[in-house]
Amino acid sequence: MSVKRVGILTAGGLAPCLSSAIGALIESYTEKAPEVEILCYRSGYKGLLLGDSFLVTPSVREHAKVLHQHGGSPIGNSRVKLTNVADCVERGLVQEGQDPLHVAAEQLKTDRVDVLHTIGGDDTNTTAADLAAFLAQNDYDLTVVGLPKTIDNDVIPIKQSLGAWTAAEQGARFFENVVAEHNANPRMLIVHEVMGRNCGWLTAATANKYRERLDELNFLPETGLSRERKEVHGVYIPEMHFELQQEADRLRAILDEIDCVNIFISEGAGVDTIVQEMESRGEEVPKDAFGHYKLDAVNPGKWFGQQFAKMIGAEKVLVQKSGYYSRAARANEQDIELIARCANKAVECGLSGDSGVVGQDEERGDELRAIEFERIKGGKPFDIGSTWFGKLLGEIKQPKGDVVETEHV
């Protein structure tokens, strides 16, 4: 197939790679196939369904490197599942009786798109898989190539998703300021809630990166400025079971000794327990278009803070969430290098008609390739047996809990 025009869309939540990934795709096409036109859809699959797009101009190609200097997605995101017909109809994206997959396919045909690049997480790329399957079954000659964006780093079988390293670094920077709030009140409990619905990688990596930043600081214990008061005292993630009372006893001893406690909690930790408690009170817990509980309604950080505060005798609880601060950041150098490699491979795959999600395939020796859509799943659990995570728990003297069995979603 001769590629004359490609489309790009970003979808789902933000991550510190979207703007840079758009820039890297434009740069790579300009280098490898400058004759290929590039069309960007505004607001993800919403823009595709509504035919809302724009062509990349020569000026944009010339200045594409500017996109690496910014976070967010300049072309906009949305959460749209093409197989959730009722949601698409309710939101006015398709008419009653229309199939969103068919509408999307016809729009791509109208726009003369030969290759569609989707930049998103597991929901975005499983939606891309649905679209790719529909296109193949209905004889649409179009290649779909995804890039794996998620700060949770939880896409199976991809070794490292784009933006996750930056999110961990930014979460550490965020907490570097928040932690000083322990000076404001005696017996302070500070809860840092980190994004991660099913996977604790980001919480663990953020705690680890924060502690690396502590290693670079000097302290003056005689004045009360000690490493111990700025330390991470507990890390709680969905993959690791812990005894609440045992942890409360350990944290109370720390609070009694240094007058503050700092804990990192994944937003997905304990969600099932919290939802059950809310539903037992007759509360309806809202879900998004993909059927996930809306975590801002569940509010795990607040729940954990309330539970621990009573058990350890904290006088004040401060819950701070770094998610929006982290996920909208510009990509760091480590991520930009990974983004460039993945974008170059995505362009190669697009030009050769090879559909899939580009990433390091953990099941194929970490080869960078277009991974088959049917093998892409969300909910990859963090390996709590990782050497670096075991070292982290050992240094903060937190017992390593049992593995919680999780299902792939």
Side-chain angles (χ1 to χ4, degrees):
M1 178 183 70
S2 175
V3 176
K4 296 180 180 179
R5 178 180 287 184
V6 302
I8 299 174
L9 64 79
T10 61
L14 296 181
C17 66
L18 295 174
S19 185
S20 188
I22 296 166
L25 285 171
I26 293 172
E27 288 173 325
S28 188
Y29 270 111
T30 299
E31 177 187 348
K32 298 178 186 299
E35 73 283 358
V36 173
E37 292 183 321
I38 303 172
L39 185 77
C40 293
Y41 288 99
R42 296 185 179 92
S43 299
Y45 289 111
K46 175 182 177 181
L48 174 55
L49 290 173
L50 298 178
D52 185 8
S53 62
F54 64 91
L55 277 171
V56 171
T57 64
S59 176
V60 171
R61 287 179 182 265
E62 183 182 353
H63 298 96
K65 64 182 180 180
V66 170
L67 292 168
H68 298 301
Q69 300 174 12
H70 298 270
S73 173
I75 63 177
N77 282 24
S78 64
R79 291 187 181 276
V80 175
K81 187 175 179 65
L82 296 180
T83 55
N84 190 336
V85 179
D87 181 66
C88 289
V89 171
E90 182 180 350
R91 295 164 66 176
L93 303 180
V94 298
Q95 300 298 314
E96 190 75 47
Q98 288 185 312
D99 179 355
L101 286 168
H102 181 260
V103 173
E106 286 297 311
Q107 187 61 55
L108 289 165
K109 184 177 180 181
T110 298
D111 291 336
R112 297 181 287 109
V113 170
D114 301 307
V115 178
L116 177 65
H117 289 286
T118 60
I119 310 170
D122 59 285
D123 287 334
T124 299
N125 286 310
T126 52
T127 295
D130 293 331
L131 180 58
F134 181 90
L135 294 167
Q137 292 165 7
N138 292 276
D139 298 323
Y140 287 85
D141 189 14
L142 188 140
T143 302
V144 182
V145 183
L147 287 174
K149 168 250 26 157
T150 173
I151 61 176
D152 296 353
N153 196 28
D154 67 343
V155 180
I156 298 169
I158 293 172
K159 182 176 183 179
Q160 185 70 30
S161 60
L162 310 183
W165 283 323
T166 303
E169 178 185 274
Q170 291 295 320
R173 290 176 178 271
F174 174 90
F175 195 71
E176 199 169 49
N177 286 353
V178 171
V179 72
E181 283 290 329
H182 68 243
N183 297 321
N185 291 275
R187 297 188 71 82
M188 170 80 93
L189 168 62
I190 301 180
V191 180
H192 181 191
E193 182 181 310
V194 182
M195 284 186 168
R197 179 182 295 277
N198 301 300
C199 178
W201 181 90
L202 181 59
T203 302
T206 302
N208 199 52
K209 183 60 68 173
Y210 169 71
R211 296 189 74 251
E212 288 178 1
R213 295 179 69 82
L214 285 184
D215 291 341
E216 299 173 1
L217 298 177
N218 297 315
F219 296 94
L220 199 59
E222 295 90 340
T223 69
L225 184 60
S226 67
R227 165 80 183 237
E228 290 74 19
R229 288 171 65 82
K230 292 196 170 186
E231 184 58 271
V232 178
H233 301 119
V235 179
Y236 306 103
I237 57 178
E239 297 87 348
M240 190 172 71
H241 173 76
F242 65 94
E243 293 295 335
L244 190 62
Q245 187 60 59
Q246 179 183 342
E247 275 300 282
D249 292 342
R250 185 179 71 86
L251 295 177
R252 176 183 277 274
I254 293 171
L255 186 62
D256 289 344
E257 180 181 355
I258 65 173
D259 206 39
C260 64
V261 163
N262 312 309
I263 60 178
F264 281 49
I265 291 175
S266 169
E267 66 176 354
V271 165
D272 290 342
T273 300
I274 301 169
V275 168
Q276 289 174 9
E277 181 181 289
M278 293 174 70
E279 292 179 339
S280 71
R281 298 195 300 266
E283 298 180 37
E284 183 177 347
V285 185
K287 296 182 179 181
D288 63 20
F290 292 85
H292 305 313
Y293 288 114
K294 292 186 176 181
L295 293 177
D296 56 347
V298 178
N299 208 344
K302 179 181 178 182
W303 187 87
F304 270 97
Q306 291 172 339
Q307 298 298 312
F308 273 131
K310 289 182 290 187
M311 299 176 77
I312 72 176
E315 291 185 11
K316 183 169 182 178
V317 181
L318 177 65
V319 180
Q320 293 289 290
K321 305 180 182 185
S322 62
Y324 291 106
Y325 177 89
S326 299
R327 76 179 199 169
R330 60 183 285 184
N332 65 13
E333 290 184 7
Q334 189 177 20
D335 262 317
I336 285 177
E337 189 276 330
L338 177 62
I339 290 165
R341 286 195 290 119
C342 290
N344 283 333
K345 188 65 177 180
V347 170
E348 290 177 12
C349 292
L351 294 174
S352 62
D354 187 9
S355 289
V357 180
V358 172
Q360 292 171 277
D361 191 337
E362 290 185 303
E363 298 170 3
R364 305 283 174 86
D366 293 342
E367 178 187 355
L368 184 64
R369 59 187 298 272
I371 302 169
E372 298 76 10
F373 277 115
E374 60 269 22
R375 294 176 54 219
I376 298 294
K377 300 181 180 67
K380 181 178 75 173
F382 169 56
D383 180 11
I384 66 172
S386 300
T387 301
W388 65 267
F389 184 61
K391 182 173 182 287
L392 186 158
L393 294 182
E395 290 179 350
I396 68 174
K397 297 180 173 58
Q398 177 179 342
K400 184 176 181 181
D402 297 327
V403 177
V404 174
E405 294 298 326
T406 58
E407 295 184 1
H408 300 161
V409 294

